[in-house]
């Protein structure tokens, strides 16, 4: 499964709810890159300056990071957040998944107004090792500044400021939005595209649950829903 949406639209929050309720692995490209940056790996050193300025890594580097992780999951169900961002990446990902006989089954597109997201990013904190996301406005940690599960410190993302966010939002409209048209066109015929609209994750979550019910098979509730 892929989850699309503007930066700050709630992809991480909703994905975390899905992984807690169902046996699904979650892969966030942003989290993977931040982990590589923290480890000072070769990819991390390349990514650090680009990410700090709100840019995206070249397709060849991103597909290598993502497919390497997906291949380790084998037949497990998974959610991929933050990739693909371009048509080229989508084609590379589709090709890789077809070659492994595991085509995408579902894409969820989160439609959240720009003004809601702009007011949200200032209150966002994350637990980098796990990808858990908190918001001081509606999803506070039990102890301010600490992860609910591990008690470890929370961090601010370096790109969570209005100037960098504005650049990321423009890049989303320029590069990522055409992906919706790509998948809606039937280029990936086994993939179902669903758009869910709302202003909060709590509002969107029941709609996501309804998508689950609509795609459940009679033998396994997520057999058709998740890749």
């Amino acid at each position: 499964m892929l989850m699309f949406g503007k930066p700050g639209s709630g992809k991480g929050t909703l994905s975390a709810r899905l992984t807690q309720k169902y046996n699904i692995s979650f892969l966030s490209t942003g989290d993977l890159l931040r982990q590589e940056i923290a480890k000072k790996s070769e990819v991390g050193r390349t990514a650090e300056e680009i990410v700090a300025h709100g840019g995206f890594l070249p397709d060849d580097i991103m597909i290598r990071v993502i497919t390497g992780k997906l291949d380790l999951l084998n037949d497990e169900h998974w959610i991929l957040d933050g990739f693909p961002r371009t048509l080229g990446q989508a084609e590379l990902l589709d090709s890789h998944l077809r070659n492994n006989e595991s085509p995408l089954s579902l894409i969820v597109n989160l439609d959240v107004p720009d003004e809601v997201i702009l007011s949200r990013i200032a209150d966002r904190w994350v637990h980098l090792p796990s990808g858990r996301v908190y918001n001081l406005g509606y999803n506070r940690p039990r102890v301010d500044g600490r992860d609910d599960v591990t008690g470890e410190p929370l961090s601010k993302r370096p790109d969570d400021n209005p100037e960098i966010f504005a650049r990321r939002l423009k890049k989303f409209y320029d590069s990522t939005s055409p992906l919706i048209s790509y998948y809606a066109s039937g280029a990936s015929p086994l993939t179902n595209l669903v758009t869910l609209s709302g202003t909060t994750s709590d509002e969107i979550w029941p709609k996501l649950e309804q998508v689950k019910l609509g795609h459940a098979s009679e033998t396994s509730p997520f057999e058709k829903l998740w890749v």
Side-chain angles (χ1 to χ4, degrees):
M1 171 188 174
L2 302 182
M3 190 172 290
F4 286 155
K6 304 164 192 170
S9 62
K11 300 186 297 295
T13 298
L14 290 166
S15 296
R17 293 185 185 184
L18 289 171
T19 58
Q20 289 166 8
K21 190 168 185 179
Y22 305 101
N23 185 25
I24 308 165
S25 296
F26 174 69
L27 292 177
S28 166
T29 54
D31 292 340
L32 291 175
L33 288 174
R34 281 183 282 273
Q35 291 167 15
E36 293 298 323
I37 290 171
K39 291 190 298 185
K40 302 295 183 182
S41 68
E42 180 181 353
V43 170
R45 291 193 298 271
T46 302
E48 186 169 17
E49 183 175 355
I50 298 174
V51 171
H53 290 84
F56 299 129
L57 291 183
D59 290 354
D60 60 329
I61 295 179
M62 285 305 307
I63 196 67
R64 180 155 46 96
V65 171
I66 297 303
T67 57
K69 295 293 183 179
L70 292 180
D71 290 347
L72 294 176
L73 296 177
N74 296 319
D75 294 329
E76 296 179 27
H77 302 315
W78 50 261
I79 305 171
L80 180 56
D81 166 32
F83 188 89
R85 294 185 185 272
T86 67
L87 291 178
Q89 290 177 355
E91 292 167 351
L92 288 171
L93 180 62
D94 279 350
S95 175
H96 181 85
L97 293 175
R98 282 196 304 268
N99 290 338
N100 285 273
E101 299 183 349
S102 58
L104 286 170
S105 59
L106 177 68
I107 297 173
V108 172
N109 176 43
L110 304 179
D111 181 23
V112 180
D114 292 358
E115 60 270 19
V116 172
I117 298 175
L118 285 167
S119 67
R120 183 184 293 176
I121 61 169
D123 289 336
R124 181 165 66 181
W125 291 80
V126 297
H127 180 243
L128 291 179
S130 69
R132 283 184 287 273
V133 180
Y134 301 88
N135 190 286
L136 300 183
Y138 58 85
N139 182 36
R140 298 183 72 96
R142 288 193 290 266
V143 177
D144 283 352
R146 296 285 174 176
D147 177 54
D148 286 352
V149 177
T150 66
E152 294 172 342
L154 301 177
S155 304
K156 291 290 288 183
R157 293 176 176 171
D159 50 0
D160 271 358
N161 69 69
E163 181 180 351
I164 289 179
F165 178 81
R167 291 200 295 269
R168 294 185 67 209
L169 193 58
K170 182 178 185 301
K171 288 179 182 295
F172 172 84
Y173 283 118
D174 290 345
S175 301
T176 309
S177 290
L179 290 170
I180 305 304
S181 298
Y182 169 77
Y183 285 110
S185 71
S188 187
L190 298 178
T191 304
N192 188 27
L193 171 65
V194 178
T195 295
L196 303 179
S197 300
T199 58
T200 68
S201 296
D202 286 342
E203 180 183 354
I204 293 174
W205 172 248
K207 302 176 183 179
L208 185 55
E209 286 277 84
Q210 189 62 40
V211 169
K212 180 267 291 185
L213 292 174
H215 287 78
S217 72
E218 46 295 326
T219 56
S220 173
F222 277 93
E223 191 170 78
K224 294 182 180 178
L225 181 56
W226 309 116
V227 169

